[in-house]
């Protein structure tokens, strides 16, 4: 009897799930329907740190094998994942500012891949340009100088036309860059500094990921995973925690809140710490955006259950993770009112302004999926450069989400490689509260217009700008620019 047959017959079904339901009753069902998956019963997992294969005076060297593996994501079922080191999420890479990271990736999958360090300021041949593919059986060395501020970055797949599926099946992990400024602050550390990769997924009857590449509006699932665990719970004590929130969904916007509207202290954005903390009660987070927040559980009593929710969704999908306050613990550390000097740019009196318009185009040549997503009316062509920008010069870029036909309206979170940017205006008004730090990705809803200021530094070469709805990206909503 195979393991799967055993599972289907409920041989392993002696365990009792949360709410008193027998595991066997779940396994007897043909489909792992989202409602049948236990909620807030499985403990949150923290991805392990990747150990360097060599530490030298100026650098850390790592090797990562991208391979298929079997992982128990849903209780009692096995999901085939495509993982960095066979793990979903991938192992966390922790690095220090100005210390070189060398990662040798070997592709043992049956599909081409490309690795992008999202938010990294890296040379063009290490940036994961969509056409720089690591073909099955081959390797590629990525070099990350880390000459940038401390920030919550993430590494993920970026293979041309394949990113949505490759990330959906598991190719994503955290890359946490630390520096002296941040280390000098009394922020929660170690087990109290918790990365949370939030993703939605769908599963087939056999436990495999259900991914439909033809979903050109964007893939959405009916199971919320955090660090690869469906609807997890985490035991906490009555003290402050730092959560590094990452929207790793292919195409789902999040509007995060704690217990409806309890306070969250926002301390950082995509590009690192803010100058000062800001207290918020609701946090929009589009695909690939990150936010660092402090949650002070001392305001709850032991026994309390605190939910992180996505208030955009109906109750079935709204609650994402439950924090169970289980211990009293003294915590007299105060988050300082002055966090960092972000080194913001000055807006120049005169500068080059470029406009990037994101829209759907209807194409009869592409039947049966006739929607093509374009930037300035063009599809991505890795051999065509759509802008030459000068190194070290400040430019203004305007992102527009144009939806001439309402049916084809869709958010297009915009991500720029190489440079972080400052948001100057959102629809002619000041940026939202959580957008007032360094950003590399900005939400862009239907009809919106966002003006940013940016300066490309350190490297010349070809880079990309694209929508971070992964199915839009795979259906050509990318453009190449060159830093000269
Ligand atoms: Cu898009």
């Amino acid at each position: 009897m195979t393991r799967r047959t055993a599972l289907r017959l409920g041989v392993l079904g002696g365990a009792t799930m949360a709410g008193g339901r027998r595991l066997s009753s779940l396994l007897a069902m043909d489909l792992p329907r989202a409602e049948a998956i236990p909620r807030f019963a499985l403990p949150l997992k923290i991805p392990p740190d990747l150990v360097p294969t060599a530490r030298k005076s100026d650098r850390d060297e790592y090797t990562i094998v991208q391979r298929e593996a079997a992982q128990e994501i849903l209780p009692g079922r096995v999901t085939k994942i495509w993982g960095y080191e066979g793990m979903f999420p991938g192992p966390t890479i922790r690095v220090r500012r100005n210390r070189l990271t060398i990662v040798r990736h070997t592709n043992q999958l049956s599909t081409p891949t490309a690795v992008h360090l999202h938010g990294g300021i890296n040379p063009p041949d290490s940036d994961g340009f969509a056409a720089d593919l690591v073909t099955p059986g081959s390797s590629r060395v990525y070099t990350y100088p880390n000459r940038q501020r401390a920030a919550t970055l993430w590494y993920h797949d970026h293979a041309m036309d394949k990113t949505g599926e490759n990330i959906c099946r598991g190719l994503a992990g955290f890359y946490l860059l630390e520096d002296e400024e941040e280390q000098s602050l009394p922020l929660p550390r170690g087990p109290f500094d918790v990365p949370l990769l939030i993703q939605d997924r769908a599963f087939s009857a056999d436990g495999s990921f259900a991914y439909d590449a033809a979903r050109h509006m964007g893939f959405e699932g009916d199971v919320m995973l955090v660090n690869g665990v469906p609807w997890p719970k985490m035991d906490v004590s009555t003290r402050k925690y730092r959560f590094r929130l990452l929207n790793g969904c292919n195409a789902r916007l999040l509007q995060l809140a704690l217990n409806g509207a309890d306070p969250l202290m926002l301390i950082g954005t995509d590009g690192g710490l803010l100058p000062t903390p800001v207290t918020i009660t609701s946090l929009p987070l589009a695909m690939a955006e990150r936010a660092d927040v402090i949650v002070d559980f001392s305001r709850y009593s032991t026994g309390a259950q605190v939910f992180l929710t996505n208030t955009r969704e109906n109750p079935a999908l709204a609650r994402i993770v439950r924090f169970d306050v289980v211990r009293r613990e003294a915590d007299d550390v105060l988050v300082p009112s002055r966090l960092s000097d972000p080194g913001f740019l000055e807006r120049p009196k005169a500068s080059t302004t470029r406009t990037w318009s994101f829209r759907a185009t209807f194409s009869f040549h592409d039947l049966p999926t006739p929607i093509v997503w374009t930037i300035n009316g063009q599809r991505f062509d890795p051999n065509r450069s759509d802008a030459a920008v000068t190194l070290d010069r400040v430019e203004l870029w305007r992102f527009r989400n144009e939806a001439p036909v309402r049916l084809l309206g869709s958010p297009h979170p915009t991500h720029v490689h190489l440079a972080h940017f400052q948001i100057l205006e959102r629809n002619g008004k000041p940026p939202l509260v959580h957008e007032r730090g360094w950003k590399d990705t900005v939400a862009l809803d239907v009809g919106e217009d966002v003006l940013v200021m940016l300066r490309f530094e350190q490297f010349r070469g070809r880079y990309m700008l694209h929508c971070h709805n992964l199915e839009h990206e795979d259906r050509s909503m990318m453009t190449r620019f060159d830093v000269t």
Side-chain angles (χ1 to χ4, degrees), residues 4 8 30-32 74 77-80 203-210:
R4 186 180 296 163
R8 278 186 178 278
D30 277 330
L31 284 171
L74 307 178
R77 287 177 194 270
V78 169
T79 305
K80 237 185 241 174
F203 295 87
S204 302
D206 63 358
S208 61
F209 284 128

Side-chain angles (χ1 to χ4, degrees), residues 23 40 87 90 175 267 286 298 346 399:
L23 183 56
F40 316 113
M87 281 182 236
Y175 185 101
I267 59 165
S298 73
E346 291 274 336
F399 305 127

Side-chain angles (χ1 to χ4, degrees), residues 358 373 410-413 467-469 472-473 477:
F358 293 71
W373 301 97
S410 181
H412 300 302
C467 173
H468 224 287
N469 175 316
H472 295 184
E473 171 181 341
M477 199 171 238

Side-chain angles (χ1 to χ4, degrees), residues 70-92:
Q71 192 162 314
E72 185 173 326
I73 296 172
L74 307 178
R77 287 177 194 270
V78 169
T79 305
K80 237 185 241 174
I81 60 113
W82 297 350
Y84 296 117
E85 289 291 275
M87 281 182 236
F88 165 59
T92 298

Side-chain angles (χ1 to χ4, degrees), residues 192-233:
F192 309 108
D193 175 0
V194 183
L196 298 178
L197 168 60
I198 302 169
Q199 297 173 307
D200 55 339
R201 290 291 181 266
F203 295 87
S204 302
D206 63 358
S208 61
F209 284 128
Y211 180 77
D212 175 6
R215 291 268 291 271
H216 48 242
M217 292 301 282
F219 165 82
E220 290 189 314
D222 57 358
V223 179
M224 296 306 299
L225 304 182
V226 182
N227 297 346
V229 180
W231 292 294
K233 65 173 181 132

Side-chain angles (χ1 to χ4, degrees), residues 27 45 57 105-106 113-114 168 181 189 210 219 228 239-240 260 276 288 335 342 349-350 354 367 384 481:
L27 295 167
K45 287 183 196 159
S57 59
H105 278 268
T106 298
T113 61
C168 184
E181 181 190 55
R189 277 182 219 297
F219 165 82
R239 54 158 292 149
K240 294 179 195 72
T276 56
V335 175
K349 290 199 173 57
R354 300 177 200 273
L367 291 169
R384 186 194 70 235
F481 62 90

